[in-house]
Amino acid sequence: MKLKFLLFFFIVAIYTDAVAQAGYRIEGQIKGLSGGNCFLANYYATQIYAKDTAQADANGRFVFEGNKPLSQGIYEIVLPDRKTLLRVLITEDQNFSFSADTTDIIGKTKVTGSRDNEIFYEFQQFMKKTEDEYQQLKAQKIPETNQRFKDLQDKRKTFYDNFMKQNEGTFTVKLFKASADPEIPPAPKQANGKIDSAWIFNYYKSHFWDNFDFSDARMLMTPFLHQKLDRYIKDLTVQVEDSLVKEADFVVSKAINGKQKDIIAYTIWFITNQYETPKIVGTDGVFVHMAEKYYLTGIMPVSDSSTLQNVKERVKVLKPLLVNKVIPDLGVMSYRAPDRLDYIHGSKAEYEVVFFYSPTCGHCRESAPKLKTFHDKFKPQGVEVMTIAIEGSEEEWRKFVKEFKLENLVNTYGMVASRQVVYRNDYDVFSTPTVYVLDKNKKIIARRLGVEDLEPFLNVYKKRLAMERKPSTASRQ
């Protein structure tokens, strides 16, 4: 079960919550445009969705209008070439006009009747002008360039500070603040005189959300909530379960305090969705945490009972199989002695790789030679490999073992087991091959690795263990 389909629920919710007003009318005239369909498209996180269409005449004039108001946020006017975009802000002022020029969309756009759009383009045009000046200076390469660069930088900062102060309370200023990185004061120096980079990172992270308004529902109709969640969770948080759970709860608490149900829902959905099938080994527990704390308690506003049931069932499967849990034992028919069973917990090796597969599966056949190579190299290092065929006939299983010369591995036939087993539910095998890596106590240290990832994973894991066991300098003194 993937949670991406829940996006539809949130989009519908936003549209149905729009506050009643007199509708909208946006008139445009674009020089260089001579007919064709133009689209008015709204942002929802990082996606844009067509909301209205208008036919431009031979002089580039067109009108978007409707009887119901638009949901407020960032919109794009998409020109007939489907490449040129003109950004507009939709706030309470939904009756305005603009003119533009295809040769310079930002520099030659003029808006009338919408203060937010007027100052939005005032800001962009100033920044574009000073950027052009910067590029001209850069090309000149004259001795006084550095001072002129500094003067230009000071000019931009003065304009920015004044602009933000004079237009405080507008949606435009709120957007600029939300999208900007936090300003970092001078960092303290360490005893050796070097800048404390850890202090810089910690300050940046602790102030990352300072200027994002979780109480403003319009922020979901911009790219910024998604972008900031993505950066905070993926880039600024250590990708281990404990750290991720802590930061997930921190961000969700901000959303909850903002009291906007759609922002709460998107924040919870985004984090949960990242870790349902995670790319980082050992982070499945984040999904379980989010599901149990938010979905199954009703904090996540999902009205679809089938979705909640799917989440509940997924948690039931995953929870016993998370990294650091002891894998459930299983006895299956032995290749070497068909009259006895081999058990997952039967190996005394330092590490054990369990390879669930189907003898007729294409990916399994591609993986088999790599698995043999891995086994032959790591067997002397205390690694055992146990293969469990979970589909096919006994004849197909034995043929597979011989074909790929796997006789030195612990090969088993899982269609005959010591207990009733449903591999999809009991071992989360919804595709083959599925690989687990266990330590000597049969604790799961990795799951769902590709066979080609086994060697690098074990090398890194063993190095990390060695570092953890190594006594510190202080303890040796």
Side-chain angles (χ1 to χ4, degrees):
M1 176 209 59
K2 252 332 226 170
L3 297 177
K4 289 184 179 178
F5 69 91
L6 288 179
L7 272 174
F8 176 76
F9 167 80
F10 303 138
I11 295 169
V12 171
I14 286 175
Y15 288 144
T16 56
D17 284 348
V19 178
Q21 60 185 55
Y24 65 94
R25 180 179 174 86
I26 302 170
E27 299 181 27
Q29 181 174 15
I30 300 181
K31 186 178 179 180
L33 181 63
S34 57
N37 274 330
C38 299
F39 293 87
L40 180 65
N42 68 280
Y43 270 90
Y44 180 84
T46 56
Q47 304 297 315
I48 58 174
Y49 300 88
K51 180 63 178 175
D52 198 359
T53 61
Q55 177 70 36
D57 65 17
N59 295 313
R61 294 189 179 91
F62 55 89
V63 178
F64 296 112
E65 61 183 334
N67 296 325
K68 295 181 179 180
L70 296 166
S71 298
Q72 296 182 34
I74 295 178
Y75 283 65
E76 301 283 0
I77 294 174
V78 185
L79 299 193
D81 64 3
R82 304 295 182 266
K83 297 177 182 178
T84 308
L85 306 178
L86 188 148
R87 179 166 287 185
V88 293
L89 308 183
I90 300 298
T91 57
E92 292 180 354
D93 300 324
Q94 298 194 10
N95 191 329
F96 62 90
S97 62
F98 69 90
S99 61
D101 191 324
T102 56
T103 62
D104 186 358
I105 289 292
I106 291 177
K108 295 185 178 181
T109 293
K110 183 178 180 180
V111 183
T112 303
S114 168
R115 185 187 173 211
D116 265 295
N117 282 294
E118 291 168 9
I119 64 175
F120 179 68
Y121 276 97
E122 174 193 342
F123 182 92
Q124 290 193 90
Q125 287 162 0
F126 178 86
M127 290 301 174
K128 181 180 184 299
K129 180 182 177 183
T130 53
E131 176 61 25
D132 291 342
E133 291 176 24
Y134 171 82
Q135 293 301 330
Q136 290 172 6
L137 284 174
K138 192 175 179 182
Q140 290 176 10
K141 298 181 180 178
I142 54 179
E144 61 269 26
T145 296
N146 286 342
Q147 181 58 46
R148 292 174 70 180
F149 277 156
K150 185 179 183 305
D151 293 343
L152 190 57
Q153 201 170 27
D154 291 343
K155 180 181 176 182
R156 287 169 66 106
K157 187 176 187 314
T158 299
F159 173 84
Y160 181 87
D161 291 342
N162 289 337
F163 180 92
M164 301 297 274
K165 186 181 297 183
Q166 293 167 5
N167 298 292
E168 183 67 37
T170 63
F171 188 41
T172 302
V173 165
K174 182 171 286 190
L175 290 175
F176 288 150
K177 285 183 175 181
S179 61
D181 283 334
E183 290 188 19
I184 303 175
K189 291 185 178 180
Q190 297 174 315
N192 59 10
K194 293 183 178 180
I195 297 296
D196 188 346
S197 58
W199 184 92
I200 294 174
F201 174 83
N202 291 331
Y203 184 94
Y204 179 89
K205 183 178 179 181
S206 63
H207 292 272
F208 186 78
W209 294 103
D210 281 2
N211 292 314
F212 189 90
D213 188 356
F214 282 92
S215 68
D216 191 335
R218 296 175 297 183
M219 298 310 294
L220 191 51
M221 304 294 286
T222 78
F224 303 132
L225 175 58
H226 179 97
Q227 290 171 0
K228 290 184 80 75
L229 284 170
D230 193 70
R231 176 148 173 73
Y232 191 80
I233 295 297
K234 294 181 181 178
D235 298 337
L236 302 182
T237 302
V238 179
Q239 296 296 294
V240 297
E241 183 181 330
D242 289 347
S243 297
L244 287 165
V245 164
K246 176 185 174 183
E247 299 300 347
D249 287 344
F250 169 72
V251 178
V252 172
S253 70
K254 282 187 165 293
I256 290 172
N257 290 337
K259 299 180 180 179
Q260 292 294 332
K261 66 178 183 179
D262 295 317
I263 287 183
I264 295 169
Y266 189 84
T267 302
I268 295 171
W269 171 85
F270 174 87
I271 298 170
T272 308
N273 190 58
Q274 303 306 307
Y275 297 97
E276 184 182 2
T277 53
K279 296 178 181 178
I280 306 297
V281 172
T283 56
D284 311 63
V286 180
F287 170 83
V288 172
H289 170 80
M290 297 296 290
E292 290 187 324
K293 185 166 184 176
Y294 301 110
Y295 279 82
L296 302 183
T297 59
I299 295 174
M300 175 67 173
V302 179
S303 58
D304 180 10
S305 60
S306 64
T307 296
L308 291 176
Q309 183 60 32
N310 288 337
V311 169
K312 187 175 182 179
E313 290 174 1
R314 187 74 184 128
V315 168
K316 184 179 179 182
V317 169
L318 275 180
K319 198 167 183 179
L321 300 170
L322 296 177
V323 166
N324 292 324
K325 295 287 184 73
V326 173
I327 195 170
D329 198 9
L330 178 66
V332 279
M333 179 191 289
S334 171
Y335 179 82
R336 295 175 183 172
D339 58 339
R340 71 176 178 85
L341 301 178
D342 284 328
Y343 288 84
I344 294 177
H345 285 207
S347 170
K348 305 298 182 184
E350 194 72 16
Y351 298 98
E352 181 179 9
V353 172
V354 183
F355 180 81
F356 294 95
Y357 75 102
S358 168
T360 58
C361 154
H363 289 300
C364 304
R365 297 180 67 80
E366 290 175 9
S367 299
K370 300 174 188 176
L371 188 66
K372 175 176 167 42
T373 300
F374 169 81
H375 170 268
D376 293 348
K377 181 175 181 178
F378 277 80
K379 175 72 173 177
Q381 300 179 37
V383 179
E384 187 69 82
V385 176
M386 180 178 190
T387 71
I388 304 177
I390 65 168
E391 292 177 352
S393 66
E394 184 177 342
E395 182 182 356
E396 288 172 323
W397 163 57
R398 292 186 178 278
K399 182 180 177 182
F400 183 94
V401 172
K402 290 180 180 178
E403 179 180 353
F404 293 104
K405 300 179 174 60
L406 304 178
E407 289 89 350
N408 290 333
L409 284 62
V410 179
N411 296 291
T412 64
Y413 184 52
M415 299 301 288
V416 178
S418 60
R419 63 177 174 84
Q420 189 68 28
V421 57
V422 178
Y423 290 99
R424 185 182 182 90
N425 296 334
D426 293 355
Y427 293 93
D428 193 31
V429 183
F430 58 83
S431 64
T432 53
T434 292
V435 176
Y436 284 80
V437 184
L438 317 174
D439 69 7
K440 63 182 178 182
N441 298 314
K442 306 311 167 195
K443 187 173 68 177
I444 300 167
I445 58 175
R447 61 191 299 273
R448 296 205 162 278
L449 289 177
V451 171
E452 63 277 5
D453 298 321
L454 287 171
E455 180 173 350
F457 168 79
L458 270 178
N459 287 337
V460 170
Y461 183 82
K462 289 194 284 187
K463 284 180 182 177
R464 193 184 78 200
L465 275 187
M467 290 295 293
E468 291 173 355
R469 292 168 180 168
K470 186 177 180 180
S472 67
T473 303
S475 66
R476 292 197 301 267
Q477 292 177 346

